[in-house]
């Protein structure tokens, strides 16, 4: 589970050292802004005692507990203000009043710069008259008694055993309400979240069968196993059309079998004599079979394959592992869509390249270790989907969508694979299996509430739903349990789901701010 804390770093050291309880009021450090001002003490930041509500029982022991709540808190700030003369004192005091006039201000103390309170000045203590050197105090009323993390935390949902979920540790000391986001990679009718206590939030409409269209699917590339090495039946060795931007990838090797970390067979490239400045590798290709109508070529398809690519004994190892769907235009073959994993530098880092119509449209940098989440042992299948002009690339449960109008009517006719190395081959760089399914009718099976590219957001704290940033309560459900989605200290798990007929699942993220007593 990946967690990211976004920090807006603020310089709080000025020309002189700040007291430990120096206060920033709406982004202004008073000691830095007002000459002669100094914080002496702060009270009210201590732990709060809750107020318990109960029902009195007269016939049996004890009472009946109903609920607990925390009352507003008041912070009292003692300060000193010194000035060389009456005029300077008055100007400094006016500046202090101006800064403190803001309502519901963000309040940060120097000894706890990663937390903030929200409050409004409610009272000024008596200021001694006739002097340019005073000690006094003011009170800040915090209707919301809690303090909050200055930085938001973002969590990405991960897919494990076909279940997509946020599964993480919340380390605040009081409950927090997250914002749940779904970035759609395909049309869907609904989005739902289920918390570990059984609470549910559903957004969208129930699926409705579209009675006027059907989709026929055909397996145009049956499951092809590469785990035995050699050249699988029907495949051609070393004549494949591949993405080769520098024209330096030789097809001069073949695949042979070795064991992965779990003891299973996997095909990996054999070692051959390198040509200076060239990659060595094995290229395999095979034409797609005819669909259920006897047509050769897939305008809409889903392709899936399973690889293992990772460093083991040396970070100097290099490798490339490419899967491509090949089209044919004016009699010439071209790379319609591909995913390539490339490690061409010393170190653990590699790049996942998403390739569309012969060009890289996205690059993802990752650490190519034996157990990495993209290509490591147990990383799962990669996928490419095409529906007309829309393409979706899937790597380990994350999906990336692109559109190319030039490819809307184009058909894939062939599959190609290339596995190679530059000088020192990787300990693990191979292929388990692959398959391709063609869809003969590009119309959707189900009516869609939400369409690909849209973002659906659920603010559990405010019980609001947004579509593409606009408040959209019409997509809510009266049974939604927003209150039940509060994050509590310790482990929290929220399962994410969408319509089972959606071509690809959304990318789910969650943002929250830790809360403290």
């Amino acid at each position: 589970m990946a967690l990211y804390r976004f920090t807006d770093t603020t310089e709080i050291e000025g020309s002189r050292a700040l007291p430990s309880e120096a206060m920033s009021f709406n982004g202004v450090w008073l000691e830095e802004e007002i000459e002669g001002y100094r914080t002496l003490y702060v009270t009210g930041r201590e732990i709060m005692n809750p107020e318990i509500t109960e029902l009195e029982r007269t016939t049996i022991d004890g009472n009946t507990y109903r609920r607990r709540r925390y009352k507003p808190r008041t912070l009292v700030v003692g300060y000193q203000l010194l000035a060389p003369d009456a005029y300077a004192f008055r100007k400094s005091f006016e500046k202090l009043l101006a800064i403190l006039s803001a309502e519901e201000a963000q309040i940060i103390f120097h000894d706890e710069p990663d937390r903030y309170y929200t409050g409004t000045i409610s009272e000024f203590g008596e200021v001694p008259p006739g002097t340019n050197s005073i000690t006094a105090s003011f009170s800040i009323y915090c209707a919301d008694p809690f303090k909050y993390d200055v930085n938001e935390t973002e969590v990405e949902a991960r897919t494990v055993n076909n279940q997509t979920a946020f599964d993480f540790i919340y380390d605040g000391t009081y409950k927090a309400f997250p914002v749940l986001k779904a970035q759609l990679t395909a049309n869907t009718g609904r989005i739902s979240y289920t918390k570990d206590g059984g609470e549910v939030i559903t957004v969208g409409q129930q699926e409705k069968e579209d009675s006027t269209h059907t989709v026929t699917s055909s397996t145009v590339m049956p499951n092809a196993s590469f785990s035995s090495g050699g050249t699988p039946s029907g495949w051609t060795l070393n004549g494949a059309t591949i993405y080769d931007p520098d024209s330096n990838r030789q097809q001069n090797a073949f695949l042979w079998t070795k064991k992965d970390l779990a003891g299973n067979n996997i095909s990996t490239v054999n070692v051959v004599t390198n040509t200076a400045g060239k990659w060595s590798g094995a290229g395999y290709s095979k034409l797609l079979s005819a669909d259920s109508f006897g047509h050769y070529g897939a305008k809409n398809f889903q392709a899936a394959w399973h690889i293992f690519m990772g460093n083991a004994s040396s970070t100097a190892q290099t490798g490339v592992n490419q899967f491509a769907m090949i089209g044919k235009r004016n009699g010439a073959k071209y790379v319609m869509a591909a995913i390539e994993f490339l490690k061409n530098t010393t170190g653990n880092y590699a790049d996942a390249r998403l390739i569309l119509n012969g060009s890289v449209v996205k690059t993802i940098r990752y650490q190519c270790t034996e157990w990495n989440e993209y290509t490591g042992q147990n990383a799962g299948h990669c996928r490419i989907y095409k529906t007309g002009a829309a393409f979706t690339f899937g790597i380990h449960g994350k999906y990336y969508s692109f559109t190319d109008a030039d490819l809307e009517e184009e058909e894939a006719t062939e599959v190609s694979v290339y596995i190679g190395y530059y000088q020192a081959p990787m300990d693990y760089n191979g292929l388990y299996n692959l398959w391709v399914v063609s869809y003969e009718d590009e119309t959707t099976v189900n009516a869609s509430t939400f369409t690909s590219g849209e973002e659906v957001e659920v603010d559990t704290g405010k019980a609001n739903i947004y579509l593409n940033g606009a408040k959209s309560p019409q997509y809510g459900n009266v049974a939604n349990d927003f209150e039940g989605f509060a994050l509590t200290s310790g482990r929290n798990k929220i399962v994410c789901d969408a319509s089972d007929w959606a071509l690809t699942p959304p990318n789910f993220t969650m943002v929250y701010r830790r809360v403290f007593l």
Side-chain angles (χ1 to χ4, degrees):
M1 178 59 60
L3 294 96
Y4 305 94
R5 291 237 161 82
F6 301 108
T7 304
D8 180 14
T9 304
T10 302
E11 180 63 55
I12 60 177
E13 295 295 342
S15 58
R16 62 183 188 274
L18 296 178
S20 63
E21 291 191 306
M23 183 181 70
S24 168
F25 196 87
N26 247 15
V28 177
W29 291 93
L30 300 182
E31 273 84 354
E32 298 291 347
E33 188 68 19
I34 303 171
E35 186 69 28
Y37 175 92
R38 187 172 182 84
T39 303
L40 300 178
Y41 65 86
V42 179
T43 64
R45 296 171 62 191
E46 301 80 14
I47 189 72
M48 300 178 295
N49 291 320
E51 179 183 74
I52 303 298
T53 300
E54 59 186 0
L55 293 177
E56 185 176 355
R57 299 188 297 190
T58 59
T59 58
I60 58 176
D61 297 331
N63 291 335
T64 300
Y65 174 85
R66 295 191 63 187
R67 59 182 173 271
R68 176 187 67 183
R69 81 177 190 100
Y70 288 91
K71 294 181 179 181
R73 78 162 77 219
T74 298
L75 304 174
V76 178
V77 179
Y79 67 96
Q80 179 185 62
L81 185 60
L82 306 176
D85 53 51
Y87 180 80
F89 177 84
R90 179 53 52 192
K91 289 300 181 182
S92 293
F93 199 77
E94 287 178 353
K95 182 178 286 188
L96 175 64
L97 294 178
I99 295 172
L100 298 180
S101 65
E103 299 180 12
E104 291 294 277
Q106 184 187 75
I107 299 156
I108 299 174
F109 293 100
H110 189 208
D111 60 0
E112 200 172 31
D114 56 345
R115 309 277 191 270
Y116 73 88
Y117 299 90
T118 301
T120 304
I121 298 296
S122 60
E123 182 181 358
F124 282 96
E126 183 177 349
V127 177
T131 178
N132 302 331
S133 174
I134 68 167
T135 58
S137 65
F138 53 83
S139 300
I140 304 172
Y141 177 76
C142 301
D144 180 347
F146 306 109
K147 56 185 175 181
Y148 295 84
D149 197 334
V150 169
N151 311 309
E152 288 186 329
T153 298
E154 180 175 291
V155 183
E156 294 180 352
R158 306 300 290 272
T159 301
V160 179
N161 296 328
N162 295 320
Q163 183 185 74
T164 301
F166 305 109
D167 195 346
F168 63 103
I169 301 297
Y170 172 68
D171 55 359
T173 59
Y174 193 73
K175 62 184 179 182
F177 287 91
V179 175
L180 308 168
K181 300 180 181 182
Q183 184 69 48
L184 303 188
T185 62
N187 297 352
T188 190
R190 65 165 177 83
I191 295 165
S192 65
Y193 302 94
T194 304
K195 204 168 183 294
D196 39 14
E199 302 84 357
V200 176
I201 293 176
T202 300
V203 183
Q205 307 299 319
Q206 296 296 324
E207 288 86 343
K208 298 177 181 179
E209 186 87 359
D210 186 337
S211 59
T212 60
H213 298 94
T214 58
V215 171
T216 301
S217 64
S218 304
T219 300
V220 292
M221 177 72 69
N223 184 39
S225 174
F226 281 77
S227 59
S228 299
T231 303
S233 176
W235 287 76
T236 299
L237 172 63
N238 292 339
T241 301
I242 62 172
Y243 175 72
D244 185 7
D246 299 318
S247 300
N248 65 349
R249 295 179 179 178
Q250 299 180 105
Q251 297 186 43
N252 58 348
F254 60 89
L255 298 181
W256 63 285
T257 301
K258 69 177 297 184
K259 298 291 185 181
D260 65 12
L261 297 175
N264 299 314
N265 286 343
I266 184 172
S267 285
T268 188
V269 68
N270 72 310
V271 179
V272 297
T273 301
N274 279 93
T275 301
K278 300 284 188 179
W279 288 71
S280 294
Y284 289 84
S285 60
K286 185 179 181 180
L287 294 173
L288 299 180
S289 304
D291 62 24
S292 58
F293 296 102
H295 177 74
Y296 288 88
K299 185 168 69 171
N300 305 294
F301 59 78
Q302 175 186 175
W305 66 102
H306 187 194
I307 71 170
F308 175 22
M309 177 179 172
N311 281 338
S313 60
S314 171
T315 59
Q317 296 170 349
T318 59
V320 59
N321 195 312
Q322 179 187 134
F323 174 96
M325 296 295 292
I326 306 302
K328 202 168 187 179
R329 184 186 295 141
N330 299 323
K333 295 180 181 181
Y334 70 98
V335 176
M336 176 183 288
I339 297 180
E340 174 181 273
F341 299 98
L342 175 67
K343 184 181 182 300
N344 58 0
T345 59
T346 299
N348 278 331
Y349 283 99
D351 289 327
R353 292 176 167 182
L354 312 184
I355 300 160
L356 185 61
N357 204 1
S359 298
V360 175
V361 292
K362 186 176 182 65
T363 300
I364 305 162
R365 172 68 47 107
Y366 71 100
Q367 290 203 44
C368 193
T369 56
E370 297 171 84
W371 296 95
N372 79 81
E373 63 185 6
Y374 290 92
T375 60
Q377 181 80 49
N378 300 330
H381 284 73
C382 301
R383 300 177 189 273
I384 298 176
Y385 303 84
K386 180 182 185 293
T387 304
F391 288 78
T392 298
F393 300 83
I395 304 175
H396 189 55
K398 293 290 291 181
Y399 294 87
Y400 309 88
S401 296
F402 304 89
T403 301
D404 190 326
D406 292 339
L407 299 179
E408 183 171 6
E409 300 299 324
E410 295 286 303
E411 296 182 342
T413 58
E414 189 172 320
V415 170
S416 71
V417 174
Y418 181 74
I419 300 175
Y421 63 95
Y422 186 68
Q423 290 180 338
M426 302 182 72
D427 288 324
Y428 299 101
N429 182 17
L431 174 66
Y432 293 101
N433 65 333
L434 60 86
W435 51 263
V436 180
V437 172
S438 172
Y439 300 98
E440 283 75 59
D441 188 347
E442 67 185 72
T443 57
T444 57
V445 178
N446 300 83
S448 301
T449 304
F450 307 113
T451 58
S452 179
E454 293 185 322
E455 182 178 73
V456 180
E457 182 177 303
V458 178
D459 187 333
T460 62
K462 298 179 179 178
N464 286 334
I465 295 170
Y466 301 87
L467 177 61
N468 301 325
K471 193 173 181 180
S472 305
Q474 67 271 25
Y475 296 115
N477 188 305
V478 293
N480 283 341
D481 186 359
F482 294 100
E483 182 70 24
F485 270 70
L487 307 180
T488 56
S489 297
R491 184 187 180 192
N492 290 257
K493 184 175 182 180
I494 299 174
V495 176
C496 313
D497 196 17
S499 300
D500 56 9
W501 50 265
L503 185 59
T504 56
N507 289 329
F508 292 100
T509 57
M510 175 178 64
V511 177
Y512 66 86
R513 196 182 295 275
R514 292 184 296 170
V515 185
F516 301 89
L517 291 171

